[in-house]
Amino acid sequence: MWLLALYAAHSVLVLALALRSVYRPTNALAWVICCMFIPVIGLILYVVLARPVSIRRARLADDSSEESLALLSTPANSALRGLVGVEQAMSKLSGGTATHGTVRILPNGEETYAALFEALESAASSITAEYYIIRNDPVGQTFLSILARKAAAGVSVRLLVDGIGSLGVVRSQLPKLAGVGVDCRVVFPLQFPWLRPGINHRDHCKIVVIDGSIGYIGGINIGLEYTGHKPGVGAWRDTHAQVTGQAVQGLARVFELNWSVGRQVSAGRSSNRTQADRVQLLNGIPDYRPPTSRQADAIPALMQTVESGPDRPVRTVQALYFMCLTQAKRTVDMVTPYFVPDTDLTMAMKLAVARGVRVRLLVPEHCDHRVVGLAARTFFAELAKAGVELWLYGAQLLHAKVVVVDGALSVLGASNFDLRSFRLNYEVCQVVYGEAAAEELTKQFEADLADAHHVSVEEIQALLPVGILERGARLLAPLL
C-alpha cells in the first residue's frame, strides 16, 4: 500500500512539474523523462536546478536611436534597409542601440592573444575582463600575470569568471590576484553543498574592455588549446573580434550587468608561501609568448551588443538568430560548434529556404561534446531535405560562432546555436551592420568550406544514422 501511495505522490509531483513548465513544453518533457528514470533524485534535481536566478538590472532602451536608423536606411547601406527591424527589435529586447565603431576580425587564438596581450600591456587606467574559461596553463598564467602587474602599477583591474568553467583558477589563482589588487568575482561558484541553485547556469561570455576604448568579444577563452598547440587537441578554428569606438560601451554595459551577480573573492591568508606566490605572479617570466600581432584592417561599422540570460523574459540571442533567418532576402551563412536548435529556429531555416534564401550551415564533423554532437545529428536529415546546405568541417576543431546575412549583417560572439546558450547561460553577441565586415567573414566562411564537405540527404542517412543514442540525446537537449 505504501508503495502505491508513494507512486501516486510521485505522479502528482511530476504532473505539477509539467504544469509549472507548460509554457516551455520541450523543457518540461526533458524534466518529466528525467524524473521517470530517476524518480526521487530527478525531482530533487528539478527543485534545485530549475529555480530562477537573480535578475540582473538593466536600463532597456525605449527605442532605436534616430541616428542609427537613419544610417541603416541610407542609400549607401541599401543592403541593410531590409534588416533595420533587427536593430529595432534588439534595442527593445537587449537595451542597446547600434553605435559607431571599428571592428578587426581575429580568426584564431594566436592572433587574438597577440592583439589582446599587447592591448592589456598598454592599459593606462582600467581593465575589465570576463571569461567562461581561464586555464591554469601557460596562456592562462601569462594572462593573469599581466593583470597582476597592471593592478600593482595602479591600473583598476576587475576580473569576472565562471565558477565551473574556470574552477581550477578560482581555487588556486584568484585569491593571489586579489592579494595584489585585482578585484575578482565569480559567477555561480561551486561551493558546498555543491548542488545549489544556479549550478546549471553558466556565465559563457568572453568580454574584455581596456581603458573604456578598446574591447574584445568572440568565442575564444583563455587557454592553450585555443592556440592550436595543446597536445591531444590539435588545430583550433575560432573567431574573435577587436572593437573600438562608441561600440565598446555596449560591451562595458554587459560586463557591469554580469559583475552585479558575481561573488567577491577575498585575498588569501598572509603567509610566506602566499607572499612567494604573489611575487612569482608579479615577476614571473611568461610561459607563453604570442606571435607579433598581425595588423588586420580596422573596419568602420555600426555595432550593437546583444546579451541574454536565464533571468530574461525573452531569449534574446535566440530571437536574434530567428530574426536573421526570417528577415534575410538572399543568403544566410551560419557557423556553430554546437547545433541543437528548437522548433522555431528549424522552422525559420526551412521557411528561409522556401522563400528562396540560400542557407548554409557549417558544423564540426566530430563534436568535442559527444552528447551534443549526437543530438545535432537528429536535425541534419530534415534540414537537408528542406534545402539547407549542410557542411561538415573536419580539418580542425571548430569553435567559431558566426552568422552572416545578405552580405550586410554579421553576428559573432560567445553564443552557440543550442538550447543551453538560449535558455541557461549568460551570453553576449556583437551585431555588426556593414558590408565590409560581412565580406571579410564571408571570405573566412568560404575558406572554411574548403576544409569541409557538403553532405546530401542520402549521405546523412548512410553516414550519420539516427539511432537510440541520438534520439535520447535530443530528448535531453533542453537540459544539456
Side-chain angles (χ1 to χ4, degrees), residues 106-394:
L106 303 168
N108 55 56
E110 294 269 64
E111 291 190 26
T112 297
Y113 294 146
L116 173 62
F117 291 178
E118 180 182 326
L120 289 171
E121 292 282 12
S122 66
S125 60
S126 65
I127 295 171
T128 57
E130 175 181 1
Y131 280 101
Y132 172 56
I133 294 174
I134 299 179
R135 300 289 189 200
N136 199 8
D137 64 14
V139 175
Q141 289 295 328
T142 301
F143 174 75
L144 297 177
S145 178
I146 295 174
L147 297 187
R149 286 188 282 103
K150 299 307 291 189
V155 174
S156 171
V157 180
R158 290 186 292 168
L159 176 62
L160 182 65
V161 301
D162 180 77
I164 299 296
S166 300
L167 181 60
V169 163
V170 169
R171 291 178 170 175
S172 64
Q173 301 297 325
L174 293 198
K176 302 174 190 176
L177 284 167
V180 297
V182 177
D183 194 355
C184 302
R185 290 189 184 183
V186 180
V187 179
F188 303 129
L190 184 63
Q191 295 178 327
F192 181 84
W194 295 282
L195 196 60
R196 300 164 60 94
I199 195 65
N200 198 35
H201 301 287
R202 304 268 51 92
D203 179 5
H204 196 243
C205 299
K206 296 94 175 166
I207 297 172
V208 176
V209 176
I210 300 167
D211 292 341
S213 61
I214 183 171
Y216 291 87
I217 181 175
I220 297 177
N221 289 288
I222 301 295
L224 187 61
E225 64 263 40
Y226 298 92
T227 67
H229 300 312
K230 184 173 182 178
V233 176
W236 189 285
R237 169 72 187 91
D238 219 322
T239 300
H240 220 71
Q242 181 192 80
V243 177
T244 62
Q246 289 178 299
V248 175
Q249 298 310 309
L251 297 176
R253 179 179 61 88
V254 177
F255 175 88
E256 295 297 342
L257 278 175
N258 297 337
W259 180 260
S260 68
V261 296
R263 180 169 295 185
Q264 194 74 34
V265 175
S266 301
R269 293 182 180 180
S270 180
S271 66
N272 291 336
R273 175 59 184 167
T274 303
Q275 186 60 29
D277 287 338
R278 291 173 181 170
V279 171
Q280 183 180 11
L281 190 63
L282 289 169
N283 302 320
I285 299 174
D287 295 315
Y288 170 74
R289 295 182 182 276
T292 303
S293 176
R294 180 179 68 92
Q295 295 300 316
D297 293 336
I299 302 169
L302 283 170
M303 285 175 277
Q304 183 177 26
T305 305
V306 174
E307 61 84 23
S308 68
D311 59 335
R312 293 293 184 244
V314 177
R315 301 173 195 135
T316 318
V317 170
Q318 181 180 3
L320 171 61
Y321 289 152
F322 183 84
M323 289 205 69
C324 286
L325 289 162
T326 56
Q327 299 296 306
K329 299 296 188 296
R330 297 183 292 105
T331 61
V332 178
D333 293 330
M334 305 166 58
V335 185
T336 182
Y338 313 123
F339 182 76
V340 188
D342 66 357
T343 304
D344 292 343
L345 287 173
T346 54
M347 180 60 70
M349 294 175 73
K350 295 175 185 178
L351 288 176
V353 174
R355 291 188 292 108
V357 177
R358 184 196 67 191
V359 179
R360 297 187 292 185
L361 173 64
L362 177 63
V363 295
E365 185 171 6
H366 304 290
C367 184
D368 60 328
H369 289 277
R370 178 165 172 75
V371 178
V372 177
L374 291 172
R377 290 186 185 183
T378 64
F379 296 92
F380 291 166
E382 63 173 305
L383 291 175
K385 288 178 182 177
V388 175
E389 293 185 26
L390 177 65
W391 294 77
L392 299 182
Y393 185 85

Side-chain angles (χ1 to χ4, degrees), residues 3-67:
L3 285 176
L4 184 61
L6 186 62
Y7 173 78
H10 181 264
S11 299
V12 170
L13 289 172
V14 171
L15 178 60
L17 179 158
L19 293 174
R20 186 171 183 264
S21 303
V22 68
Y23 295 107
R24 294 186 295 170
T26 55
N27 193 58
L29 175 62
W31 277 115
V32 167
I33 293 172
C34 180
C35 291
M36 288 174 58
F37 279 93
I38 44 176
V40 177
I41 298 175
L43 283 171
I44 293 174
L45 288 173
Y46 173 79
V47 170
V48 175
L49 300 182
R51 287 174 60 182
V53 299
S54 300
I55 296 176
R56 300 164 299 153
R57 300 297 177 186
R59 180 184 63 80
L60 294 180
D62 295 328
D63 204 349
S64 299
S65 69
E66 294 183 4
E67 179 188 12

